[in-house]
Every structure is written in structure tokens, then in C-alpha cells.
Amino acid sequence: MPLTFGRDISPFGGPLRQPTSKSPHILVIGGGVVGLVSAWVLLDRGYHVTILSKAWVSDEQRLTSQIAGALWEYPPAVCGQHTDAISLAHSKRWCMIAYHMWDAIASNPALSQESGVRMMPSDFFFFDQIEKDPRQHSKMMEIMASGVRGFYRGADIIDDRGIDPSYGAVDAYELMAPIIDTDRAMHWLTSLVQRKGATLVTETVEKDLVDIEDSLRARFDADVIVNCTGLQSSTLAGDQSVYPIRGGLIRVINDGTVFPKLNAALTITADAAQSSNEIVFLVPRNDNILLIGGITEPHKWNLDLTLQSPIIRRMRERCDNFLPGLKDATLDADYPLAQGLRPFRGSNVRVERELRRTGSRIVHSYGHGGAGWSLSFGCAQDVAVLVEETLAGISARPMGARLGRGKMEITASL
């Protein structure tokens, strides 16, 4: 049974189920969106929760979760790179759970304002008729049946949004999607879990969790450890397949003064364009900022991009050609260029118990790439299920064992 807003999780202070002195204690490692949402779900289930992180939300040294584009997408997403069938099948379920949760938050005006979450039109453009690409056609049909709001397919979207006809887009569809102001949302999530009773500890873990599991559990009196550390999981989970995909976003003023105010996300995905060099990613961040993207640079660890970097200049030129008027857009003087490292792994997203050590009480949730916000609540639901299984003494199973015949097998209800 999917996570349900109000029944299983509450956006207000205080946990839905008050923990007792006998309630299990969960140690969540990671202070990004995946860790915070996992902690939120666990807190509302009545667990004691401690969150350990090397850094927290900040307007000076932003976390990866703050730099993210944070446009909800049905997988595979704009930046592509989703290659594992098992992970992709799980991700399609996870994203819809998150969709309905963000939608519920956005539907409350006060919560929407406080959290920075809004539902806005999200448009996807294609260089050929969608039916001519079996993958895109299948994806569109899945989206139509998924339960998203406001789906519409038609080439008239191209004219309505003012796309330059010479760019070559000939087909498009639109849906209502969560668009998240990540700075505001991360501050809100951090405050929310604290109000629900989470203890926050600033500390860096630098060893494989299997090697320090017993000492870590003893020090924090933890019954289960949940690893949500993104790129750090290369060490903490002993997973050498973890790698970064560097991304960059230009931030411009979107107040209607220089070009018509954009109130919808406009994208051409990597899989639709057949090349990551042709991605178009235009997403309103808040009331007056527009994000211009995007790029994907696998295995690039350095955050040394500038507005004059060739790949950033090509990205800007591509988007300017796509949407006339952007050429004259004014840069956000305080924060003109955002850049970060998306945490990918060879087999994509991993939400799974530790398999290297029999009897381990570690649960992993990492490798979300550029989809941490889109998958957050869905992964958190599975984390809670795996925590319950761990506490019940049920043997660990690989992710593939949780897939039924063409459908997802829900192992426990929330």
C-alpha cells in the first residue's frame, strides 16, 4: 500500500505516532533530501531517529540537494543514465509515490509557501513524432496511465510556449509536476524533522559501515543504520560503482521584465535528443528565478565550472536558441551559476539491505543521481519496510527479489 499523506505521514510538527522508551532507535547517515525524507517517514512511524551528517542545509555552502534542478520527472529523467532494469522498475513506483506526496504538500497554500513546493506545467518536446520512437511512446503511455494530473499531448504546446520553430521540435506533451525551490525546501525539511524529535549530529564517517557497524550502533544506541550518503557510499557501502555526473545550471531573473515570465518547465531530455549534448532544461525555481540547463559530465569530480567554460557557454547558446528572449536575460547577481555532482552508481538507485555481512542491520538508499527529489518518498517508504524487516529478523534480499511478475511486490504496508 503506497505511503499516504495524512495517514502515514504528516507535514506538521510532532510525530504521528509518539515513540516510547521501548521504540527502536534508527541512525540515519546523510543530511540531504533522501536522508531527511527517510528520517521523516521513520519519525512518523514512531521510531527514535538520529541523523548524522557532515554538513547541513546552508545558503553559503549548498548541499547537492540544494543545487539540484528538482523538477519531478517520470524515469528515465532528463539527464538519462538509467540503465538497470531492476532499478528502473522500482523507480517508476518510487516516483509516483513522491509525486502524490509533493502534490499534497503543494495543494495546501500555507505549506506550499513554507516548503517551496508548487505544482506547475511541465512540458517535454521531441524532434520527431513520439510514436516513431518505441521507447518514448511507451514512456508516454505509462505516464498517461500513472495518475499524474493535467496530461495533454499536442504540437500546439510548441507555439503556445514560444519555442523557436527552427529549433526542430515537432511534438510535445505536458503534465502538472512538482517544481521545488530546493533552498527553501531543505530548510523546511530540516526544521520539520527536528520538530518531530530527530537529533542532528554533525560528523563525517570515513570508513566502510560494515567494518564499523557494531561500534557505530553501540555509540548511538542504534537498532538499525540507514545509509543515505550519495557519493560517500563508494566508501560507506564499499560500492566502487558509485561515480559523479557533474551538472551546472545558470540562474537568471524571471520576472517578466526582459522576456515573458516563464511559468512552466520546458525540457528536451537526453533520451529524446539521443545525446546529452542536446539537453534543454528550463525550470522556474521560485517567483523570480529561472534555471537554465543542463549538462551531464560523468566522472568529473571538480567543481570548477564558470560562466565562460565552453560546456556552459554551449548549454546557454542551446537554450537561447530554443526559447527566444533568453539571450537578454539578466543573471542572478547573487548566485549566477550552480554546479554540483549527481551521485550515480553502475546499477543505478540502490534501496537494499547490506548483503556482505550476515545479520547486518544496515539499510542502504543511495545512487539516486539527479532524481533524489523525484524518488524521495518512494525510496523512504521502502527504507521503512526494510527497517521493519531488519528488526523482525527477516533475512536480507537483493533488490531484484522484491520485483513481482511485471508488478512491484509490496512487502509491507505503511
Side-chain angles (χ1 to χ4, degrees):
M1 184 181 299
L3 197 68
T4 300
F5 195 77
R7 184 195 67 194
D8 306 306
I9 192 169
S10 165
F12 305 110
L16 275 178
R17 298 169 182 82
Q18 288 289 340
T20 69
S21 59
K22 296 182 179 180
S23 298
H25 183 195
I26 314 301
L27 175 64
V28 176
I29 306 178
V33 61
V34 174
L36 292 178
V37 172
S38 295
W40 177 4
V41 171
L42 293 166
L43 286 160
D44 273 343
R45 292 179 71 89
Y47 295 111
H48 298 286
V49 175
T50 295
I51 310 173
L52 188 154
S53 182
K54 67 177 182 179
W56 305 97
V57 59
S58 167
D59 293 335
E60 286 75 42
Q61 297 293 323
R62 286 175 166 85
L63 303 176
T64 299
S65 293
Q66 293 176 259
I67 297 165
L71 167 68
W72 180 93
E73 299 172 74
Y74 192 84
V78 164
C79 59
Q81 305 293 330
H82 218 130
T83 57
D84 184 81
I86 292 173
S87 177
L88 180 59
H90 280 289
S91 294
K92 290 177 180 181
R93 176 174 58 94
W94 290 331
C95 80
M96 290 312 305
I97 294 171
Y99 180 93
H100 293 300
M101 298 303 297
W102 293 125
D103 189 15
I105 291 169
S107 69
N108 181 309
L111 272 179
S112 175
Q113 177 67 23
E114 186 179 359
S115 66
V117 180
R118 296 183 293 174
M119 297 296 288
M120 299 180 69
S122 182
D123 299 345
F124 297 85
F125 301 89
F126 303 87
F127 293 116
D128 209 339
Q129 293 295 315
I130 295 170
E131 286 82 0
K132 293 183 179 180
D133 184 334
R135 293 176 305 162
Q136 290 300 329
H137 185 248
S138 176
K139 179 178 177 179
M140 182 182 72
M141 298 304 290
E142 288 181 17
I143 291 173
M144 291 173 64
S146 68
V148 300
R149 294 198 291 114
F151 184 89
Y152 172 78
R153 187 265 183 100
D156 53 320
I157 298 173
I158 300 168
D159 293 331
D160 292 345
R161 297 299 183 198
I163 308 305
D164 190 329
S166 67
Y167 199 84
V170 300
D171 207 349
Y173 60 73
E174 175 178 287
L175 55 92
M176 295 296 292
I179 294 179
I180 301 170
D181 180 341
T182 53
D183 283 337
R184 183 175 296 180
M186 283 294 293
H187 280 291
W188 177 71
L189 285 170
T190 304
S191 173
L192 180 63
V193 296
Q194 288 180 291
R195 286 184 280 122
K196 288 181 176 291
T199 299
L200 272 56
V201 176
T202 304
E203 183 177 322
T204 301
V205 180
E206 297 180 332
K207 296 181 179 179
D208 192 322
L209 290 176
V210 163
D211 297 333
I212 60 173
E213 177 180 357
D214 294 340
S215 61
L216 203 58
R217 284 185 53 210
R219 184 154 67 91
F220 287 97
D221 192 27
D223 296 284
V224 180
I225 297 171
V226 178
N227 169 39
C228 304
T229 57
L231 286 175
Q232 285 181 280
S233 292
S234 61
T235 297
L236 272 64
D239 188 343
Q240 297 307 304
S241 76
V242 173
Y243 67 98
I245 294 186
R246 184 167 66 176
L249 296 166
I250 297 172
R251 294 166 55 98
V252 299
I253 305 302
N254 182 34
D255 61 3
T257 301
V258 176
F259 62 92
K261 184 177 178 67
L262 190 59
N263 290 309
L266 312 179
T267 61
I268 296 178
T269 67
D271 55 342
Q274 305 300 323
S275 168
S276 61
N277 296 322
E278 298 179 54
I279 294 172
V280 170
F281 184 82
L282 302 174
V283 179
R285 171 59 94 204
N286 53 37
D287 289 337
N288 68 342
I289 295 294
L290 176 69
L291 303 181
I292 298 177
I295 60 171
T296 61
E297 294 188 288
H299 304 287
K300 294 286 189 179
W301 287 90
N302 295 326
L303 295 177
D304 55 4
L305 295 169
T306 71
L307 291 170
Q308 298 308 313
S309 296
I311 193 169
I312 296 296
R313 295 179 67 177
R314 290 194 299 271
M315 176 185 80
R316 179 63 190 268
E317 181 181 7
R318 187 166 66 242
C319 293
D320 288 349
N321 291 338
F322 177 74
L323 188 68
L326 285 184
K327 292 183 179 67
D328 300 321
T330 303
L331 290 171
D332 176 8
D334 296 327
Y335 186 23
L337 178 66
Q339 56 184 309
L341 304 177
R342 306 177 183 96
F344 277 79
R345 67 185 289 267
S347 296
N348 306 128
V349 187
R350 182 188 186 192
V351 182
E352 184 177 58
R353 290 169 59 187
E354 178 57 60
L355 300 172
R356 294 173 296 163
R357 181 189 186 195
T358 302
S360 173
R361 289 193 164 205
I362 298 171
V363 173
H364 296 288
S365 182
Y366 65 91
H368 298 82
W373 291 92
S374 293
L375 305 179
S376 54
F377 286 101
C379 291
Q381 170 176 284
D382 277 16
V383 163
V385 169
L386 295 176
V387 166
E388 284 190 351
E389 290 183 358
T390 302
L391 293 170
I394 298 172
S395 297
R397 298 175 296 163
M399 281 181 64
R402 304 205 310 273
L403 282 172
R405 294 179 61 187
K407 296 183 179 180
M408 209 59 57
E409 178 185 290
I410 307 298
T411 56
S413 61
L414 292 178

